[in-house]
Amino acid sequence: MSVAILKKQSKIIESTLKAFQAGRRVKAPLAGFPGCDLAGYSIKVAQQNPAAHYECIRAIYERFNPDVSFMMMDLSAEANALGIPVRFPKNESATVEEHPISSAEDLEALRKIDITEDSRISGYLKAVELISSKLESLCCAYMAGPITLAGLLSGAEKVAMDAVLEPEKFKALAEFSAQVLEDYASALCDAGADAVCILEPTGVIFGPNEFQAYSAEYVKRINQVCRKKGVETIYHICGNSMHLIESMSGAGVSALSLDSPDTGVDLHLAAEKAGEDVVIIGDINPVAVMKDSSAQEVYNATTQLLYKMKDVPNFILSTGCDLPPGTPPENIEAFMKAERDFKG
């Protein structure tokens, strides 16, 4: 790709292509929770205390020197801010306990809530501010996607059925979720995020048409909010998202973050489907490889992925999802070393 064309691309694409032209890859493991182990904080404390959250991400940055620092992944934050009951284990990510929204009346009661004033949301905004201002790597913030937030409010199976059987009912819920998320995305941008990663794991159970209508179309709006503030967006889906690549890449995002091959994802084929204007991020298995394998096995798996993607300029080396707590530091070091050693 020529320099003239490169200048027209997003900053994420530009930095990815420049790294490729220099014979290296951008390294961006989704590593938040292992930082708790390094910094000596429980996940519960880190997810509720922005200073502790920052210290965990700083520990990852100082130990491994990634090109991108992702904040801790938390799919409960927006639902919690809307009053949905959430469980807070000591050393696991917070999880939504109930999905009580089942009617238009239930939804109406939530419309007056400004989630950016919520104490946990405010904590995440402060964590982004600290990461962005104090670390030299790019800062990437997380937020839920519209289908996923709708599922957290009403239940994943229920919204999947409603999307097909009661589309008008589900559309109202998706529209509400999207508006809440646009407000949160704007606040994350203002806090200093360089990129916002939209987490849409519930979307994997939808067919392409429903996904396009209830996720991608709304993500286009979220992307526009971020772009107006000079911030780019990443679409992340857990599981086999191969049937959704075209819709995801058509939403205007700069990059797709995809799960490991064990789920059915073919990263090279995904890159072909997405096209050269969208960066593909992935996709070492975060549990079977990064947590449960030896350092040498991690090194080998990472090297194999680099060989597979060696002819794909728009590729960022990463993990298929957030690394779990207890991931050995030597395994993350092996992941990083494999990229530095690769001469393919």
Side-chain angles (χ1 to χ4, degrees), residues 74-82 107 110-111 113-117 121 124-125 141-153 170-190 193 195-203 211 214-227 229 231-236:
D74 181 356
L75 280 170
S76 74
E78 297 94 338
N80 180 80
L82 291 167
L107 193 59
L110 306 184
R111 294 190 186 279
I113 300 173
D114 179 357
I115 73 162
T116 63
E117 296 296 326
I121 292 290
Y124 279 130
L125 295 174
Y142 286 123
M143 61 179 289
I147 287 177
T148 296
L149 179 55
L152 291 168
L153 297 177
F170 181 64
K171 183 176 176 59
L173 179 58
E175 179 71 34
F176 167 79
S177 298
Q179 183 57 63
V180 168
L181 295 171
E182 286 179 52
D183 293 342
Y184 187 28
S186 179
L188 288 169
C189 295
D190 292 342
V196 174
C197 185
I198 301 162
L199 304 170
E200 193 70 295
T202 307
F211 182 87
Y214 302 121
S215 182
E217 290 300 322
Y218 293 121
V219 168
K220 287 180 183 179
R221 286 171 28 183
I222 295 170
N223 179 63
Q224 289 170 357
V225 168
C226 294
R227 292 282 179 153
K229 294 176 178 286
V231 176
E232 296 179 67
T233 50
I234 301 168
Y235 224 146
H236 174 83

Side-chain angles (χ1 to χ4, degrees), residues 11-228:
K11 293 178 182 178
I12 291 177
I13 294 173
E14 183 175 347
S15 61
T16 303
L17 295 179
K18 283 185 175 179
F20 178 76
Q21 292 165 354
R24 60 176 294 269
R25 295 293 190 172
V26 173
K27 300 183 290 295
L30 309 186
F33 297 133
C36 293
D37 301 327
L38 294 174
Y41 290 104
S42 70
I43 292 175
K44 182 179 188 298
V45 168
Q47 288 190 329
Q48 296 183 339
N49 183 317
H53 191 148
Y54 163 71
E55 288 298 327
C56 294
I57 305 306
R58 183 172 71 88
I60 292 288
Y61 174 76
E62 292 183 347
R63 178 73 176 265
F64 307 112
N65 193 30
D67 296 301
V68 183
S69 290
F70 287 84
M71 66 187 291
M72 245 169 254
M73 194 178 285
D74 181 356
L75 280 170
S76 74
E78 297 94 338
N80 180 80
L82 291 167
I84 307 303
V86 171
R87 183 173 69 92
F88 296 95
K90 182 178 180 181
N91 284 306
E92 298 175 20
S93 186
T95 55
V96 172
E97 284 190 315
E98 300 176 21
H99 313 285
I101 306 303
S102 59
S103 67
E105 291 74 19
D106 294 334
L107 193 59
E108 202 60 35
L110 306 184
R111 294 190 186 279
K112 63 182 179 181
I113 300 173
D114 179 357
I115 73 162
T116 63
E117 296 296 326
D118 174 75
S119 58
R120 284 189 70 222
I121 292 290
S122 297
Y124 279 130
L125 295 174
K126 180 62 177 179
V128 168
E129 179 184 332
L130 291 169
I131 295 165
S132 175
S133 63
K134 293 179 178 292
L135 301 183
E136 293 185 3
S137 57
L138 295 177
C139 172
C140 186
Y142 286 123
M143 61 179 289
I147 287 177
T148 296
L149 179 55
L152 291 168
L153 297 177
S154 293
E157 292 184 5
K158 185 176 187 302
V159 297
M161 292 178 61
D162 285 349
V164 177
L165 302 177
E166 298 187 69
E168 289 305 314
K169 177 182 178 181
F170 181 64
K171 183 176 176 59
L173 179 58
E175 179 71 34
F176 167 79
S177 298
Q179 183 57 63
V180 168
L181 295 171
E182 286 179 52
D183 293 342
Y184 187 28
S186 179
L188 288 169
C189 295
D190 292 342
D194 295 299
V196 174
C197 185
I198 301 162
L199 304 170
E200 193 70 295
T202 307
V204 78
I205 65 176
F206 280 64
N209 292 337
E210 289 76 24
F211 182 87
Q212 178 66 37
Y214 302 121
S215 182
E217 290 300 322
Y218 293 121
V219 168
K220 287 180 183 179
R221 286 171 28 183
I222 295 170
N223 179 63
Q224 289 170 357
V225 168
C226 294
R227 292 282 179 153
K228 287 179 181 178

Side-chain angles (χ1 to χ4, degrees), residues 262-281:
D262 304 83
T263 67
V265 170
D266 182 330
L267 208 62
H268 197 283
L269 179 58
E272 293 176 8
K273 287 186 172 188
E276 64 179 9
D277 292 332
V278 179
V279 170
I280 298 297
I281 303 175

Side-chain angles (χ1 to χ4, degrees), residues 270-299:
E272 293 176 8
K273 287 186 172 188
E276 64 179 9
D277 292 332
V278 179
V279 170
I280 298 297
I281 303 175
D283 75 336
I284 298 295
N285 190 307
V287 178
V289 176
M290 293 300 299
K291 183 176 184 291
D292 295 339
S293 295
S294 68
Q296 186 60 53
E297 289 169 328
V298 170
Y299 184 94

